Amino acid sequence: MESGRRKGLSGVLSSLSLLCVVLDLQLDGVLGATPVEIEHHLEMGRKLLAAGQLAEALSHYHSAVEGDSKNYLTYYKRAAVFLAMGKSKSALPDLTRAIQLKPDFLAARLQRGNILLKQGSTQEAREDFQAVLERSPDQEEAQNQLLRVDELEELQEQAKQAYQTGDYTTTIQFLERVIELSPWDPELRELRSECFIRLGDPRKAIQDLTPAARLRTDNRAAFFKLSKLHYSLGEHQDSLSQVRECLKLDQDDKECFAHYKQVKKLSKQLDSAEELISEQRFQEAIDKYKSAMKTEPDVAFYTNKAQERICHCLVQIKSAEEALDVCTEAHQRDPRNIHVLKDRAEAFIQLQDYEKGVEDYQEAREIDGENQEIREGLDRAQKLLKISRKRDYYKILGVGRNANKQEIIKAYRKLAQQWHPDNFQTEAQKKEAEKRFIDIAHAKEVLTDPELRQKFDAGEDPLDPESQQGGGGGQGWPYGFNPFDSGGSFHFKFHYN
């Protein structure tokens, strides 16, 4: 019985030994690599690195490290590829491993010290540079970098003291050099961004926070702050992108999620409003912008933008009086907004107040003298002003610039009947009535003809010889025919067509 058990145990042990040998052989085939293969990977990595094919080079160095995890040079070379790819965080573990395998490997210590200095880890960087100098006292780079460590520590202290006293301008001055020495230190960039915020320069704050957000593994606070800054500047799409980065790190982050909902809602309203404008659905766009102002009543940019666009839409639908009120309020909020000035000028023109229209266009031109729309608008407004000082067909008939043909004919009939020369007794009265009657007829002729009306609206009098060579009739009756030229007698029956 005992003998049988021993034989069974012996058989199991024999089988296990055989299995281990088989597994060892299989692992050698899968994971192992011969010195020749390792050397091939190293050589290919070197060539690809020199050719700038970093991803392919990294793949070969991965294989070299897996094939020989005890070779300090393979780690060092892979670290070089990581650095070339801008991945200093990935390079650090490889440099540390190379130093562990070969403590007197000064090139790796020097490289690690340089990375630590750029990350702002002055104490660890100091230790590496000192270790290099202990073995090689004349190593010039280590000497220079050690001096930079001392300079950095002193500047960091001065910057923090200035910040604590509320001297943000001086803090920024110190941090300029600090960040030059340690560009990969997120804490110092975040400190400088906070100074810019306190000094009212959010744009520069964004420039510091953007790289700082990527320098930490989990920097939700930086992404959230970036989103808020973009939002305050009216950059709702950028704000949405940054808050999404925060939620990628933690989808349950309460601050980021609440802000995300707000930005998404407002962004959707603003984009929808602009789409409606592009489709010339101006009243719907007005309603959408009013909703946007309710969604975000506290950030001035969005109120200003909404009023600017509502002003534009009201001009487009020829609600001139309402447009004038909205445009004026928008101009008070943002006096250098050329779009508001341009639209208010058009509202004045619609109300036939050409002088003020010219003034607004001139003000806009002073802000942006190269804008072609403004230059063309000013030219048209000046022509309309010139014409209005001679004769304005809209004023002659007493109709608005947005009057339709039916309204024009109705006004014409009423005035033609009122000013018909047969209604007057004296010669002087008849002559004045004839002049008024001719003007009324001219106005009807121009404003009921789409082509002539378009010319007049563009600032050109189609019946004025000065602006219309070969035009019909000049200042007399259309086509040179005067029904009153019959020896001073006006006795005939008039038909109001």
Side-chain angles (χ1 to χ4, degrees), residues 26-254:
Q26 288 179 338
L27 287 172
D28 279 345
V30 174
L31 300 178
T34 66
V36 173
E37 291 172 330
I38 294 170
E39 186 59 34
H40 170 73
H41 285 305
L42 291 172
E43 179 62 19
M44 287 299 298
R46 184 188 66 77
K47 288 181 178 179
L48 291 165
L49 177 60
Q53 296 175 254
L54 302 181
E56 293 84 352
L58 184 61
S59 177
H60 280 284
Y61 281 120
H62 283 326
S63 297
V65 169
E66 290 170 0
D68 185 2
S69 60
K70 302 297 183 182
N71 189 332
Y72 70 95
L73 277 175
T74 57
Y75 287 100
Y76 181 72
K77 290 176 180 178
R78 186 169 69 174
V81 180
F82 279 129
L83 288 173
M85 298 175 77
K87 298 181 177 180
S88 58
K89 287 183 180 179
S90 299
L92 267 182
D94 275 358
L95 291 170
T96 298
R97 182 58 179 154
I99 293 167
Q100 289 170 348
L101 291 170
K102 187 173 175 56
D104 62 346
F105 187 18
L106 302 187
R109 280 196 179 277
L110 191 60
Q111 191 66 269
R112 187 175 70 173
N114 288 336
I115 293 173
L116 292 168
L117 176 61
K118 288 183 178 181
Q119 291 181 342
S121 302
T122 53
Q123 184 55 43
E124 293 172 277
R126 182 190 300 278
E127 291 172 2
D128 272 339
F129 296 137
Q130 287 175 339
V132 171
L133 291 172
E134 284 175 7
R135 292 182 177 273
S136 179
D138 298 327
Q139 220 290 338
E140 188 175 352
E141 185 178 355
Q143 291 173 348
N144 292 334
Q145 291 298 77
L146 200 54
L147 291 175
R148 288 190 175 91
V149 170
D150 294 335
E151 180 187 3
L152 180 57
E153 288 180 336
E154 183 179 351
L155 288 169
Q156 285 175 335
E157 185 60 30
Q158 290 173 326
K160 288 175 182 177
Q161 287 177 358
Y163 181 78
Q164 288 169 359
T165 61
D167 188 351
Y168 305 118
T169 301
T170 301
T171 305
I172 290 170
Q173 291 172 351
F174 284 129
L175 289 175
E176 291 292 335
R177 176 59 177 161
V178 168
I179 292 173
E180 184 182 332
L181 292 170
S182 54
W184 300 339
D185 186 347
E187 182 181 345
L188 297 174
R189 286 188 177 272
E190 288 167 0
L191 180 62
R192 189 168 67 174
S193 75
E194 186 61 32
C195 291
F196 283 128
I197 290 171
R198 291 176 183 269
L199 291 173
D201 195 342
R203 185 69 62 197
K204 287 187 177 178
I206 288 172
Q207 290 175 1
D208 268 335
L209 267 181
T210 300
R214 304 288 180 183
L215 290 170
R216 295 186 193 273
T217 305
D218 181 359
N219 205 348
R220 282 173 288 159
F223 284 120
F224 178 66
K225 186 179 283 189
L226 273 171
S227 181
K228 296 282 281 186
L229 286 169
H230 281 297
Y231 186 78
S232 70
L233 292 170
E235 298 163 353
H236 55 96
Q237 293 291 359
D238 290 327
S239 176
L240 201 57
S241 297
Q242 295 297 340
V243 77
R244 280 172 174 156
E245 292 297 323
C246 173
L247 292 173
K248 285 179 185 177
L249 296 170
D250 182 1
Q251 62 182 4
D252 296 322
D253 188 293
K254 291 182 179 179

Side-chain angles (χ1 to χ4, degrees), residues 313-375:
C313 291
L314 289 169
V315 170
Q316 294 302 310
I317 61 176
K318 301 191 184 307
S319 296
E321 291 184 0
E322 187 180 355
L324 197 58
D325 292 338
V326 175
C327 294
T328 298
E329 185 178 349
H331 178 57
Q332 290 170 349
R333 285 176 164 272
D334 189 1
R336 294 185 62 81
N337 189 320
I338 60 171
H339 304 293
V340 170
L341 282 166
K342 182 170 69 70
D343 282 322
R344 190 172 71 167
E346 289 301 319
F348 277 128
I349 289 170
Q350 289 177 9
L351 293 170
Q352 302 178 35
D353 192 342
Y354 305 116
E355 286 190 22
K356 289 185 178 178
V358 168
E359 288 173 6
D360 270 357
Y361 267 123
Q362 286 175 332
E363 187 177 343
R365 186 182 62 178
E366 288 174 6
I367 297 169
D368 185 358
E370 301 302 317
N371 189 295
Q372 188 65 25
E373 284 188 20
I374 291 172
R375 291 164 68 179

Side-chain angles (χ1 to χ4, degrees), residues 420-432:
H420 193 282
D422 284 353
N423 295 333
F424 299 89
Q425 301 301 317
T426 69
E427 190 67 25
Q429 288 176 333
K430 287 181 181 293
K431 285 185 176 180
E432 175 63 21

